[in-house]
């Protein structure tokens, strides 16, 4: 049994939804788990394992993710740790692995911390829930990348079996 912390940065809620799934699965496997927003203060030293999950917004991870990593790099490197990224780009078969996803590759290049385990998950495309600006930007990007652009589109691209396998990998993670 491990005491696991999940820290997340979520814009439209899909990353938080993935974290809730991970939390439930990891508890089922016998772990104690706490999920918190990246904006919350938490003592990382109190946990055995640390997971960071972050969504992509307008082509980038939230700068707070990098600030968090920089502020906690020593502890992150001393404990079994993992990072996952959530994006609509990961809906594509050729961009849905850590090795092929451009946002994960950018993260690995930019981050001073290289976690033991990295993963990418497809996000949720939900035009009705977006504000006017986000809806317009995302529809334009989807048009450019041959994705759905209909204003009433709501498609969840998260592969929940992949999330479950990731939870199993986190459960087995050691230093």
């Amino acid at each position: 049994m491990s005491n696991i912390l999940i820290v997340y940065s979520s814009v439209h809620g899909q990353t938080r939804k993935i974290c809730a799934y991970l939390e439930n699965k990891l508890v089922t496997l016998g772990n104690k788990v706490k999920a918190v927003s990246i904006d919350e203060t938490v003592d990382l030293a109190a946990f055995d394992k640390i997971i960071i999950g972050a969504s992509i917004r307008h082509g980038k991870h939230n700068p707070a993710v990098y600030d968090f990593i920089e502020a906690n790099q020593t502890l992150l490197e001393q404990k079994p740790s993992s990072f996952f990224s959530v994006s609509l780009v990961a809906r594509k078969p050729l961009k849905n692995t850590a090795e092929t996803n451009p946002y994960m590759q950018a993260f690995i290049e930019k981050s001073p911390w290289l976690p033991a385990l990295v993963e990418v998950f497809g996000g949720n495309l939900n035009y009705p829930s977006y504000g006017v600006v986000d809806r317009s930007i995302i529809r334009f990007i989807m048009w450019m990348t041959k994705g759905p652009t209909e204003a009433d589109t709501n498609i969840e691209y998260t592969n929940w079996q992949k999330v479950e396998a990731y939870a199993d990998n986190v459960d087995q993670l050691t230093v």
Side-chain angles (χ1 to χ4, degrees):
M1 181 181 107
S2 295
N3 188 13
I4 303 172
L5 175 66
I6 304 173
V7 179
Y8 63 88
S9 173
S10 187
V11 177
H12 297 291
Q14 192 67 13
T15 303
R16 175 62 188 114
K17 185 176 179 180
I18 292 168
C19 289
Y21 186 95
L22 289 170
E23 185 174 8
N24 289 335
K25 171 67 175 174
L26 290 165
V27 166
T28 300
L29 292 171
N31 299 287
K32 182 178 174 189
V33 184
K34 179 176 184 163
V36 298
S37 169
I38 199 147
D39 301 324
E40 294 179 46
T41 302
V42 64
D43 178 14
L44 273 63
F47 296 89
D48 305 317
K49 298 179 184 179
I50 302 167
I51 302 169
I52 300 175
S55 62
I56 293 295
R57 181 163 193 227
H58 305 309
K60 297 182 176 160
H61 289 106
N62 182 341
V65 172
Y66 296 104
D67 294 343
F68 180 88
I69 290 167
E70 188 175 316
N72 296 288
Q73 184 176 351
T74 301
L75 273 173
L76 289 169
E77 290 173 347
Q78 292 172 352
K79 297 175 181 279
S81 59
S82 180
F83 176 79
F84 71 88
S85 180
V86 179
S87 69
L88 289 172
V89 167
R91 77 187 189 283
K92 296 182 171 194
L94 297 177
K95 296 186 180 183
N96 69 358
T97 69
E99 297 77 25
T100 62
N101 185 279
Y103 299 124
M104 181 59 80
Q105 291 306 303
F107 170 82
I108 290 169
E109 188 175 306
K110 184 175 180 178
S111 174
W113 163 66
L114 183 59
L117 177 65
V118 292
E119 189 58 85
V120 296
F121 302 116
N124 186 51
L125 178 63
N126 186 356
Y127 290 126
S129 74
Y130 304 149
V132 174
V133 174
D134 278 347
R135 186 179 318 118
S136 297
I137 291 169
I138 295 169
R139 284 182 79 192
F140 179 70
I141 292 167
M142 292 305 263
W143 174 78
M144 286 178 33
T145 61
K146 311 269 188 274
T149 58
E150 296 79 24
D152 63 345
T153 300
N154 184 1
I155 302 172
E156 186 173 68
Y157 290 105
T158 304
N159 178 336
W160 294 104
Q161 291 152 337
K162 188 175 179 182
V163 176
E164 181 143 345
Y166 173 74
D168 289 334
N169 290 335
V170 167
D171 187 54
Q172 299 301 315
L173 197 59
T174 60
V175 174

